[in-house]
Amino acid sequence: MSPSPASARVSRLAALVVGLCWLAVLFDGLDMFIYGSVLPHMLESKALGITSDQAGDLGSYATFGMLVGALTAGTIADRIGRKKLMVSCITLFSLASGVCALSGSVAVFGLGRTLAGVGLGGLLPTAISMVSDYAPRGRGALTIGALMTAAHAGGILSAYVALWVVEPLGWRAAFWVCVVPLLFVPVFLKVMPESLSFLVAKGRTEEATALAGRFDVEVPAAPAKTAGDRWDALAGLFRGNEWIQTLLYWLASFGGLLLVYGVATWLPTLMRSEGYNLGSALTFVVLFNLGGIVGMLVAGRASDRFGAPRISSIWFALTAAGVFLLSVHMPLGVTFLVVFLTGVFLNSAQTMIYATVSIRSAPANRATAVGWTSGMGRFGAVFGPWLGGQLLAAGDADWGFTAFALAGVSSMVFIGIAALRSSKRGELTSTPQELIGAH
């Protein structure tokens, strides 16, 4: 039986919302990875008089901005709505890229990267919330997983932008490309509906019901927790001996995100320091992000079968081995394979930390535990790019790989100890946005 015209129209509308969110996250990934992709060229051409240690600082500025954006996104979205926040984030990181393109000094460039980070950090959790509201019935997990591939697709795009634009036109042209998302802002304003969760929370139930009917989705339940409940859930993470478990999760997340953002920022430059040409170094970015897409799709299935704590520990061990191997000059084909596999394991190992925290947490404070584990980990995201810059400035590129590998080993140890200490057992019952959105 063929679908009715009305049903087909509704399906197209829902697909449009998910498609717009995917496009927004693609821009997010492009802007996040573009700095690492153009950095080898900037260092070689001494753009803005930048040095290796300054380059590390600049990478940390963006991740610090992401920390601010991620921590404030929920509060701002509760006030102005998720649609307006998404549009604001896209506008902010696009204009900030324009600041980078126009900058005449390292200080102005750093300001642009910091502002871009605020927009980047606020967009992803907001987009996940939107997709959760409008995903077709029974396909929420699949839709959110597909959305997460957009960030890595943006990383792949950044490598091609650097390869095709930077050489003929200079590094500024790459940041002008990152201003292009501004052209899509009117489309988002016209087509994107407001979040159902926001409408329900604001008591606009009739509007939410009408939108839900139009998009053939369910109206979410009204939020039940108060601010006091949330603070009580946070305090519960430290009662009794739980503080040990909590700190182990936070330390594992710190090392994991140090590794993720350190490698994302410095991979092309470190590979250039190992003697690979710029084209090969950017190909590594493509393979690393292709691995990330594959890893996101397979890690969940592996965790369902073998357990998230076990997979997270194994994944970090394999990541550490892969990163360390990159300090060894191997045949190009073998290096390509190692970079791809490192991307597979690295980009999903951190997500499995969130899965582990969710499994081992009581339902009443599960969201709080996952959210704070992600927040503490973001300090590692700030530290990773800075650490890579310091090591490269000291002429210790090989130690850069070693330091990142040790971060993977530390996360493997911390998440393994936390899993062994935990006396809780149970099925993974958290929602996909709790696990994936925290990343």
Side-chain angles (χ1 to χ4, degrees), residues 50-125:
I50 190 173
T51 61
S52 295
D53 55 341
Q54 288 176 322
D57 294 342
L58 291 171
S60 293
Y61 293 163
T63 51
F64 176 76
M66 292 180 70
L67 170 64
V68 174
L71 292 178
T72 59
T75 301
I76 297 174
D78 288 342
R79 288 182 176 273
I80 69 173
R82 285 160 178 76
K83 173 182 175 178
K84 290 181 180 178
L85 182 58
M86 277 190 67
V87 171
S88 299
C89 288
I90 294 170
T91 302
L92 178 58
F93 68 66
S94 299
L95 291 175
S97 291
V99 171
C100 292
L102 292 170
S103 62
S105 67
V106 172
V108 175
F109 186 90
L111 174 64
R113 288 307 292 166
T114 303
L115 293 175
V118 175
L120 297 171
L123 176 68
L124 185 57

Side-chain angles (χ1 to χ4, degrees), residues 30-376:
L30 169 63
D31 211 309
M32 175 60 212
F33 281 95
I34 195 65
Y35 175 66
S37 294
V38 303
L39 186 54
H41 177 86
M42 293 183 71
L43 288 172
E44 287 182 3
S45 63
K46 295 181 172 55
L48 303 177
I50 190 173
T51 61
S52 295
D53 55 341
Q54 288 176 322
D57 294 342
L58 291 171
S60 293
Y61 293 163
T63 51
F64 176 76
M66 292 180 70
L67 170 64
V68 174
L71 292 178
T72 59
T75 301
I76 297 174
D78 288 342
R79 288 182 176 273
I80 69 173
R82 285 160 178 76
K83 173 182 175 178
K84 290 181 180 178
L85 182 58
M86 277 190 67
V87 171
S88 299
C89 288
I90 294 170
T91 302
L92 178 58
F93 68 66
S94 299
L95 291 175
S97 291
V99 171
C100 292
L102 292 170
S103 62
S105 67
V106 172
V108 175
F109 186 90
L111 174 64
R113 288 307 292 166
T114 303
L115 293 175
V118 175
L120 297 171
L123 176 68
L124 185 57
T126 310
I128 290 173
S129 176
M130 292 289 287
V131 164
S132 300
D133 283 351
Y134 289 100
R137 287 190 179 100
R139 295 186 178 181
L142 176 64
T143 306
I144 294 171
L147 178 71
M148 290 299 295
T149 66
H152 294 292
I156 294 171
L157 181 59
S158 76
Y160 285 110
V161 168
L163 192 61
W164 295 336
V165 174
V166 172
E167 287 298 323
L169 301 176
W171 64 270
R172 296 180 189 273
F175 287 97
W176 281 121
V177 171
C178 293
V179 180
V180 170
L182 273 179
L183 301 176
F184 292 85
V185 165
V187 178
F188 279 90
L189 287 171
K190 183 177 179 60
V191 177
M192 182 74 77
E194 183 51 87
S195 162
L196 290 172
S197 299
F198 173 76
L199 294 175
V200 170
K202 291 297 183 182
R204 295 157 61 179
T205 52
E206 291 185 4
E207 188 177 348
T209 302
L211 273 173
R214 179 186 175 196
F215 284 87
D216 191 29
V217 294
E218 297 177 358
V219 179
K225 281 194 173 185
T226 66
D229 293 329
R230 289 193 292 269
W231 284 114
D232 186 65
L234 176 60
L237 301 180
F238 294 90
R239 292 193 180 104
N241 287 327
E242 285 301 307
W243 67 271
I244 300 175
Q245 198 81 355
T246 297
L247 289 180
L248 286 169
Y249 290 143
W250 288 5
L251 288 168
S253 185
F254 178 91
L257 286 182
L258 185 160
L259 185 54
V260 168
Y261 286 94
V263 171
T265 300
W266 286 107
L267 179 62
T269 303
L270 288 173
M271 298 311 288
R272 284 283 283 153
S273 71
E274 292 296 318
Y276 297 97
N277 62 43
L278 183 59
S280 295
L282 292 173
T283 301
F284 295 140
V285 177
V286 174
L287 290 171
F288 179 76
N289 282 283
L290 281 174
I293 292 173
V294 173
M296 286 293 182
L297 296 176
V298 303
R301 287 183 175 273
S303 294
D304 286 340
R305 182 170 181 181
F306 300 107
R310 182 179 301 173
I311 291 300
S312 182
S313 293
I314 294 173
W315 258 224
F316 272 119
L318 293 172
T319 297
V323 171
F324 182 77
L325 279 175
L326 294 179
S327 64
V328 180
H329 200 92
M330 300 172 288
L332 187 59
V334 176
T335 306
F336 282 158
L337 178 61
V338 171
V339 169
F340 174 78
L341 291 175
T342 300
V344 170
F345 298 123
L346 170 58
N347 291 292
S348 52
Q350 179 68 19
T351 301
M352 291 306 102
I353 289 180
Y354 306 138
T356 301
V357 174
S358 182
I359 291 170
R360 306 301 187 185
S361 299
N365 66 353
R366 176 174 293 134
T368 300
V370 175
W372 277 81
T373 300
S374 170
M376 293 300 104

Side-chain angles (χ1 to χ4, degrees), residues 419-438:
L420 290 173
R421 285 192 76 261
S422 178
S423 60
K424 298 184 178 70
R425 296 293 183 267
E427 297 298 322
L428 181 58
T429 57
S430 56
T431 62
Q433 53 267 47
E434 282 179 326
L435 304 183
I436 302 175

Side-chain angles (χ1 to χ4, degrees), residues 382-429:
V382 174
F383 184 66
W386 174 86
L387 176 62
Q390 295 301 309
L391 291 171
L392 197 67
D396 295 324
D398 286 347
W399 274 104
F401 288 111
T402 303
F404 293 141
L406 289 174
V409 171
S410 70
S411 291
M412 174 198 72
V413 172
F414 288 132
I415 197 65
I417 294 174
L420 290 173
R421 285 192 76 261
S422 178
S423 60
K424 298 184 178 70
R425 296 293 183 267
E427 297 298 322
L428 181 58
T429 57

Side-chain angles (χ1 to χ4, degrees), residues 3-13:
S4 67
S7 176
R9 179 175 61 82
V10 169
S11 298
R12 286 196 297 270
L13 287 172

